[in-house]
Amino acid sequence: MDLHYLKIFYEVAKEKSFTKAASKLYINQSAVSIQVKKFEEILNAKLFDRSSKKIKLTYTGEALYKMAEDIFDKVKRAEKEISRIIDLDRAKISVGATSVIGEPLIPRLMKGFSKVHEEIEYELTIGDKNWLLKLLKEGDLDILIIDEEHINDPNLEIITIEKMPYVLISTKEYHNMESVAQDPLITRRNIPNNNEAIAAIEDKYKVTFNSKINVNGSLEIIKGMVREEIGNVILPYYSVHKEIEKGEFKIIYKVSDVKDGYQVVITKDKKSLIQIIKFINFIQDYKIQY
């Protein structure tokens, strides 16, 4: 079905006049009549009852008119929405993040971003780093936020956000590091900076964390183990700042020499999009006090 013919039919049926429809469509009346007839031939159905002096729709014509009315109402709404988007500079971004970043950072980050940029809608995807990178490269994500990683890809642009120190946290009170070292330490052996932070504390205080519980996976599970006093843990400040602010976790020691940040990754073909620029500017200005 050709929408051009449908539009002409719709205007004739709506105006109940070939003349008025022709005027509205900026074509002559004979052209309207010819094209309506052509449309009837295409559909192999009569749309107007020509035995009446007035414009009268056949049963088929009535059914088609109702459907056409719905179609063109939707077209009108679409045109209005596009105009609204252009007028308000509305846009949408798709943001991906790993769980180690997403769980502690994304809720506050996106809340702040939405307050500043109400015109930009967003959707979130939390998942494995390699899978998210694949989605980014395939165009299913616009922005990726990940913990620091060396990425060598000429098609990607990597922006490192402010680095923060590692902190040794607990729910308990301690008077000295020797007492801390006697309790289990939750570790993440697959994170180089984590091991470096442990070594820095052991070297500074001449202690050894003999009891270690290695955990690979969800940051929330690690935090839950600290809450249950199963052990203490060393994590980047940004990943526990919310709990520290609430007084849920206490900082036993700040490892100032070992820092960790997070990165924003985008494909270079999208870096000039205004919504991407707004998001990157916001996240670069987003500060976590420590």
Side-chain angles (χ1 to χ4, degrees):
M1 186 182 291
D2 192 314
L3 285 180
H4 170 69
Y5 289 123
L6 183 63
K7 178 66 174 174
I8 292 173
F9 158 76
Y10 172 71
E11 292 298 341
V12 173
K14 183 182 176 183
E15 298 295 334
K16 295 183 173 57
S17 166
F18 281 83
T19 304
K20 288 180 180 178
S23 176
K24 196 169 182 180
L25 295 166
Y26 301 103
I27 55 178
N28 61 55
Q29 185 178 334
S30 61
V32 170
S33 299
I34 291 167
Q35 293 192 54
V36 166
K37 195 169 184 180
K38 177 71 173 176
F39 191 36
E40 289 177 318
E41 289 172 3
I42 292 170
L43 297 176
N44 194 26
K46 293 291 182 184
L47 301 174
F48 292 100
D49 182 358
R50 289 173 174 78
S51 65
S52 172
K53 290 183 179 180
K54 294 181 179 180
I55 296 292
K56 187 178 178 183
L57 292 166
T58 62
Y59 179 80
T60 304
E62 286 282 3
L64 183 60
Y65 175 71
K66 288 177 182 177
M67 287 185 278
E69 191 170 40
D70 184 51
I71 289 168
F72 291 116
D73 277 349
K74 287 179 179 176
V75 169
K76 192 179 290 183
R77 287 199 299 274
E79 289 172 345
K80 285 181 179 179
E81 180 62 17
I82 292 299
S83 295
R84 185 178 69 86
I85 289 170
I86 292 169
D87 291 343
L88 297 176
D89 193 23
R90 290 195 72 83
K92 186 175 182 179
I93 54 173
S94 180
V95 180
T98 52
S99 60
V100 71
I101 297 295
E103 289 169 1
L105 186 66
I106 289 295
R108 280 191 175 188
L109 180 67
M110 299 315 296
K111 181 181 179 181
F113 179 71
S114 291
K115 280 185 177 179
V116 177
H117 295 293
E118 293 180 354
E119 76 282 5
I120 300 178
E121 298 173 1
Y122 66 87
E123 57 183 32
L124 297 173
T125 302
I126 308 297
D128 171 77
K129 190 182 298 182
N130 292 330
W131 177 62
L132 292 171
L133 276 167
K134 181 174 179 288
L135 293 180
L136 183 76
K137 291 175 184 178
E138 291 175 351
D140 295 318
L141 289 177
D142 299 315
I143 296 165
L144 179 56
I145 306 173
I146 58 174
D147 44 308
E148 280 194 299
E149 179 164 308
H150 178 69
I151 298 172
N152 186 18
D153 189 319
N155 297 314
L156 298 179
E157 184 141 330
I158 296 94
I159 302 154
T160 299
I161 307 302
E162 181 189 18
K163 293 188 176 185
M164 282 165 261
Y166 270 73
V167 287
L168 171 59
I169 60 164
S170 178
T171 57
K172 300 180 182 180
E173 293 283 356
Y174 291 97
H175 297 295
N176 53 59
M177 194 60 72
E178 287 77 13
S179 300
V180 178
Q182 290 174 12
D183 282 344
L185 182 69
I186 300 165
T187 64
R188 300 183 299 156
R189 278 200 300 264
N190 59 331
I191 310 294
N193 282 357
N194 189 251
N195 298 325
E196 193 179 328
I198 293 170
I201 294 174
E202 290 182 330
D203 184 60
K204 179 177 176 63
Y205 289 97
K206 307 304 180 194
V207 297
T208 302
F209 293 98
N210 289 316
S211 178
K212 294 177 181 176
I213 305 168
N214 187 55
V215 178
N216 294 314
S218 170
L219 191 63
E220 287 304 309
I221 289 175
I222 293 173
K223 291 179 183 179
M225 293 174 73
V226 176
R227 291 185 187 100
E228 295 298 324
E229 299 188 352
I230 295 170
N232 303 319
V233 71
I234 300 172
L235 291 170
Y237 182 84
Y238 68 77
S239 66
V240 286
H241 72 283
K242 183 172 62 175
E243 290 83 359
I244 291 168
E245 287 173 9
K246 289 180 178 178
E248 189 176 353
F249 294 156
K250 301 176 180 68
I251 297 177
I252 301 170
Y253 181 71
K254 187 184 294 182
V255 190
S256 300
D257 294 337
V258 184
K259 294 187 176 182
D260 192 6
Y262 50 96
Q263 296 173 327
V264 174
V265 187
I266 59 171
T267 53
K268 289 186 176 178
D269 62 327
K270 291 186 178 180
K271 70 177 184 178
S272 61
L273 295 176
I274 187 65
Q275 63 268 33
I276 303 293
I277 293 169
K278 286 179 178 179
F279 185 85
I280 290 172
N281 287 343
F282 176 83
I283 199 170
Q284 285 180 318
D285 292 337
Y286 181 78
K287 302 293 182 185
I288 297 173
Q289 299 300 320
Y290 61 89

